[in-house]
Amino acid sequence: MSPLTIAIVGAGPRGTGVLERLLARATDPDLHIHVIDPFPPGAGRIWRESQPSLLWMNSVADDVTMFTDDTTAVEGPVRPGPTLAEWVQANAEELGRDPELRDELREFTPGSFASRTLQSRYLSWVFDQATADDSARVTYHQGTVVDITGQGPQEISLDDGSVIGADIVVLAQGHPDSLPSERERALHDFAAGNGLTYVGPGYTADLDPDVVPADEPILVAGLGLAFIDWMVLLAESRGGTFARNTEGALTYSPSGREPLMYAGSRRGVPYHAKISYDIAAARPPLPKYFTADAFAGDGPLSFRDDIWPVASKEIAWAHYHRLFAAHPDRTSGTWADFESQFDALEWGSATLDQLVGTFVPGEEDRIDLDRLDRPLSGETFTGLDEVTQRLNAYIEDDLHRRSNPYFSYDAAVFSALLSVYMTVGELLRRGRIPAQSIATDIEGWLHSFFSFYASGPPPLRLEQLLALSRAGVVRFLGPEVSFTADAATGTFRASSTAHPDTVHADTLIDARLPVASISASGDALLRTLFARGEITEVRATADSAAKIAVDGRSRILDAEGVVHPLRYAIGPWVAGHTWSSAFPRPRTNAGFFRHNDSLASELLSAEVAAEIEQSSVAMAR
Ligand SMILES: Cc1cc2nc3c(=O)[nH]c(=O)nc-3n(C[C@H](O)[C@H](O)[C@H](O)COP(=O)(O)OP(=O)(O)OC[C@H]3O[C@@H](n4cnc5c(N)ncnc54)[C@H](O)[C@@H]3O)c2cc1C
């Protein structure tokens, strides 16, 4: 038999992770692995170095690793290596010689939010490190795969016309973007017809901020992480500078090249800052009530009636558990008394509210999940000036609270949300959540609430936002904002239900990531395979994010549900795979490594070798 040849399409973190596991397990030095990506291997498209250096990660460097450790339950060899923080510290001198990184390196600590440029260097090094020995042959091809054909041996066509042969293909394409939706096409057409600028949803590294004019009002739809990137690209990246005044507050001096950003969203407030005190101590022992096994039977569940009440009780339990443990002076009675009664009561009942009222005298110490989700709910304003004042105060409060262990129940709620997220993932895998509910409750609400509460920007970014607002570079539009094309004036228009002011502008930015699609993917390979019925997509409803369908062994399913024995897909864009696309955290037995390792084991197995043999024989007949 000729040596095995594997092609990995996509050399971002996931493709690199699979490669590392294949090489760790390889026993035949003639194994040949082709890695194909138009962007540099290791970093790939999202983490490529060629993007503005002022953009940061939103994980701290200590929490990011690409290496297995002694907590990782893999059958393949554990190959330890440095976390991002350890690698930067070990190479600080050399990295610091680069003018792009010099300032960052001077202030770098393991708790820093590294720039994406620095993370790009780490990922490139990880790739080089993985391929440094001669456990197998690895060939990197800089190019985009546009088609894959072949019943037996796979023929992989690149955009430069070359064709690579392989026995097995692994698609690790990461973030499939989409062709513009109907709404986005209409906004593009409106912009083109009226001499305006519309920027649709996109990945930050692919954006061209130069299309946004300076010194005029623009509308920005969204206040999440994509907004934070836009804020950086349109202010500090254009030459403005931040400094601390004598009271320690951050101030902004504009360069004059910034636009005036009017920003709003449904919630009307930015994502909460990351918690900056040590949250490990506040981690409650979870799950307690909210486990997949707590739901009897195997029928469909109602998110609002069955799932969320138990999840809410779980989150509230975590909150009070921490309050009683860390701040007993702000409680009456003992935790044991509180907990035994809390256990027995139904979430949302008047008796539970009474119990909380008795044991937790301070109103600010009681959890209010609706308020956590919609902090401006029910508020009205006289106009934009009042909204901006309110938002400035809100951000100041958030910064104070997220750095103050007085509110350490916030960290417990963060942990509880992670736990809730895992259980919901398990209920999804067990098919207990109906499609419509996945679209509206999970994708349409829970993801957003989770990101808003638990996956926000570094605190310094919110300080910068506050400084930009005080300098008049950013103004807030309030909650429940609609952004429309106003045919009467030939401009874009923003209005909120919470105040009477409207804003018109010639530029509208949709500050969010594209809704993933396979059938209408921006990627020619996926569109072609889909058109031929060789892949299919799973989406809860017509408007929700799509994922590629695979079987339990990650083998791609065609439109008829038939497995392709030689084509695999892995990563967050794959149905049934873990939701989290975030980097693995060290010493957490991260699913990233376990999944990559079991795929590598499968690809190198005798069973797959037999499939390859069989397919070749079938072809030869
Ligand atoms: C803007 C942004 C910021 C993020 N910040 C963080 C963060 O701070 N911390 C964190 O933990 N996570 C973060 N994430 C999560 C991020 O998704 C993961 O960290 C990681 O990028 C996922 O890796 P991946 O390899 O699966 O996908 P990707 O990184 O998207 O890599 C997929 C690769 O496939 C290639 N590819 C696609 N199609 C083809 C084709 N047809 N032919 C050849 N190659 C192809 C692409 O060029 C790309 O390089 C962020 C994500 C985004 C979008």
Side-chain angles (χ1 to χ4, degrees), residues 11 33-41 127 138-143:
I33 307 173
H34 296 279
V35 178
I36 311 144
D37 199 312
F39 295 103
F127 183 89
V138 178
T139 312
Y140 163 62
H141 306 261
Q142 184 177 14

Side-chain angles (χ1 to χ4, degrees), residues 7 18 93 96 99 136 144 230 315 370 390 412 435 442 444 463 472 476 498 506 555:
V18 173
E93 204 179 309
T144 301
W230 271 110
I315 296 167
D370 293 337
R390 171 74 175 96
I442 311 292
E463 268 197 274
F476 296 104
D506 289 351
R555 298 178 303 177

Side-chain angles (χ1 to χ4, degrees), residues 9-15 36-39 44-47 57-59 116 143-145 172-175 203-204 523 525 572 581-583:
V9 180
R14 178 61 76 160
I36 311 144
D37 199 312
F39 295 103
R45 171 184 173 200
I46 301 293
W47 299 100
M57 303 188 73
N58 70 327
S59 327
R116 292 187 198 156
T144 301
V145 176
Q173 291 179 249
H175 298 279
Y203 295 101
T204 311
D523 178 67
L525 170 64
S581 67
F583 285 104

Side-chain angles (χ1 to χ4, degrees), residues 95-373:
L95 290 165
R97 278 189 223 117
D98 182 336
E100 284 271 353
L101 296 174
R102 194 174 303 139
D103 291 348
E104 180 177 0
L105 265 287
R106 245 197 308 269
E107 317 231 308
F108 184 87
T109 70
S112 296
F113 293 88
S115 66
R116 292 187 198 156
T117 316
L118 198 50
Q119 171 68 344
S120 181
R121 298 286 176 85
Y122 173 66
L123 292 170
S124 303
W125 176 82
V126 169
F127 183 89
D128 291 345
Q129 195 66 13
T131 53
D133 67 18
D134 46 13
S135 46
R137 253 176 87 197
V138 178
T139 312
Y140 163 62
H141 306 261
Q142 184 177 14
T144 301
V145 176
V146 291
D147 202 0
I148 301 173
T149 51
Q151 288 306 315
Q154 300 292 290
E155 294 186 352
I156 298 145
S157 307
L158 271 61
D159 54 348
D160 63 1
S162 60
V163 177
I164 299 165
D167 299 308
I168 316 174
V169 184
V170 178
L171 302 185
Q173 291 179 249
H175 298 279
D177 37 17
S178 345
L179 299 173
S181 67
E182 209 172 298
R183 174 185 171 273
E184 288 151 24
R185 272 200 309 274
L187 289 170
H188 278 297
D189 291 348
F190 181 75
N194 290 282
L196 312 176
T197 303
Y198 168 65
V199 185
Y203 295 101
T204 311
D206 301 339
L207 299 171
D208 177 8
D210 291 345
V211 302
V212 179
D215 209 20
E216 63 173 55
I218 67 163
L219 303 179
V220 189
L223 282 168
L225 292 177
F227 165 76
I228 296 291
D229 283 354
W230 271 110
M231 170 192 104
V232 175
L233 295 173
L234 297 176
E236 196 182 6
S237 293
R238 290 192 173 185
T241 49
F242 291 100
R244 293 218 176 260
N245 65 17
T246 45
E247 281 96 58
L250 206 64
T251 59
Y252 183 72
S253 308
S255 67
R257 295 200 294 279
E258 302 85 350
L260 168 51
M261 292 176 246
Y262 283 92
S265 65
R266 266 181 302 172
R267 280 194 187 85
V269 296
Y271 285 9
H272 288 291
K274 281 257 151 66
I275 292 172
S276 55
Y277 51 86
D278 180 15
I279 62 171
R283 203 166 291 145
L286 289 177
K288 181 172 167 63
Y289 311 112
F290 188 56
T291 62
D293 291 336
F295 297 93
D298 55 9
L301 297 168
S302 153
F303 185 82
R304 287 288 149 192
D305 297 339
D306 303 323
I307 297 176
W308 189 241
V310 189
S312 300
K313 189 168 168 180
E314 181 97 334
I315 296 167
W317 181 88
H319 172 103
Y320 294 120
H321 179 267
R322 180 65 192 167
L323 177 69
F324 277 81
H327 312 289
D329 51 314
R330 281 147 55 194
T331 64
S332 325
T334 67
W335 168 246
D337 284 346
F338 176 82
E339 189 190 29
S340 63
Q341 294 179 61
F342 186 87
D343 266 351
L345 294 171
E346 208 173 302
W347 178 254
S349 63
T351 29
L352 192 141
D353 289 348
Q354 276 161 14
L355 175 77
V356 170
T358 311
F359 280 79
V360 183
E363 191 152 351
E364 73 161 3
D365 287 331
R366 299 180 199 150
I367 191 165
D368 178 347
L369 282 169
D370 293 337
R371 184 117 215 116
L372 278 186
D373 181 30

